[in-house]
Amino acid sequence: MTVTALPGLVVRDDTVPARAGWSAVVRKGQLLTLTDLHGNQAADFLVYDAHDTSVRYSAPDTIQAQGNVFLTTGSVLLSNEHTPLMTVVEDTCGRHDTLGGACSKESNTLRYGHHTWSQHACVENFLGEGAKHGLGKRDLVSNINWFMNVPVEEDGTLGIVDGISAPGLKVVLRAETDVLVLLSNCPQINNPCNGFDPTAVRMTITEPGENDEDGTR
């Protein structure tokens, strides 16, 4: 029996609790919507070609191609082979970080002191979700931080500051090929990236509607 996908049909709709991980395969043409439910919640994100995970998101390729370190509507997430993985087709937040990286037990200890060693971190979420798909630590690369505010100062220094997101703001990505997505709903409590109070985000996968080919909804 052949099953025909219906435009706008919700394929998956999950609320990811504070500090938790999430992963899914998003098929070519499908839309992935990340919604910041409560505001100022960083969502760390990695994306791979679902059929060949050695092809994965490349921050240098993406930044070089668009000439901007921030992501927003129209940004194309490029792979290490300079091929498109996903495109941002809608963004109600305004900009998203490509430079801040993912927190880990090691970086927490270095930045905030040895008392933070036991705190959960994004790297652990990525490893846990990646293991479900045969990925390990060597497969982790520089990630995207949706909704995270990391301004670049005139002298080139970076800061992690209060977010510019708010409850209900979202970013919508179109898969340009079948992709595997890993998400860490950031557990960080030592800097303002989550307003010092991690909260839930929503992850929704839908079939494209009739107007979604050109990125409109």
Side-chain angles (χ1 to χ4, degrees):
M1 180 178 68
T2 301
V3 178
T4 302
L6 299 176
L9 177 69
V10 175
V11 176
R12 184 169 171 179
D13 189 5
D14 298 326
T15 297
V16 184
R19 303 177 176 85
W22 181 91
S23 60
V25 172
V26 185
R27 300 298 178 188
K28 181 178 179 179
Q30 289 180 336
L31 300 173
L32 173 64
T33 301
L34 297 84
T35 306
D36 187 359
L37 294 175
H38 301 280
N40 293 341
Q41 174 59 40
D44 292 39
F45 184 89
L46 288 171
V47 55
Y48 305 78
D49 186 309
H51 303 291
D52 180 3
T53 55
S54 69
V55 180
R56 68 278 303 268
Y57 168 72
S58 168
D61 286 81
T62 300
I63 292 168
Q64 185 276 329
Q66 69 171 4
N68 196 328
V69 297
F70 301 113
L71 302 177
T72 189
T73 304
S75 296
V76 180
L77 311 186
L78 295 178
S79 76
N80 52 332
E81 294 191 352
H82 213 73
T83 54
L85 295 171
M86 306 187 86
T87 300
V88 180
V89 296
E90 184 178 351
D91 174 23
T92 60
C93 179
R95 72 179 192 188
H96 307 266
D97 169 61
T98 63
L99 302 176
C103 59
S104 66
K105 290 180 180 294
E106 292 80 7
S107 64
N108 280 344
T109 300
L110 180 65
R111 293 172 179 169
Y112 309 115
H114 287 282
H115 67 282
T116 66
W117 174 256
S118 62
Q119 295 176 3
H120 194 56
C122 284
V123 168
E124 283 68 46
N125 279 340
F126 281 146
L127 290 174
E129 291 299 321
K132 300 176 183 178
H133 307 278
L135 301 176
K137 196 164 188 177
R138 67 177 60 191
D139 297 300
L140 301 187
V141 294
S142 296
N143 60 287
I144 295 164
N145 294 305
W146 302 114
F147 307 113
M148 186 168 160
N149 189 15
V150 183
V152 181
E153 306 297 341
E154 289 186 3
D155 62 0
T157 58
L158 304 178
I160 299 175
V161 300
D162 291 337
I164 60 174
S165 186
L169 296 189
K170 65 183 179 180
V171 57
V172 184
L173 302 157
R174 182 181 62 228
E176 305 299 351
T177 189
D178 293 348
V179 294
L180 168 64
V181 168
L182 305 184
L183 179 97
S184 171
N185 194 18
C186 184
Q188 184 60 256
I189 59 172
N190 300 292
N191 68 49
C193 71
N194 301 318
F196 300 101
D197 182 21
T199 53
V201 297
R202 185 179 182 185
M203 306 294 289
T204 310
I205 302 172
T206 55
E207 296 293 345
E210 60 183 12
N211 294 322
D212 287 325
E213 292 301 316
D214 62 359
T216 59
R217 291 169 61 78

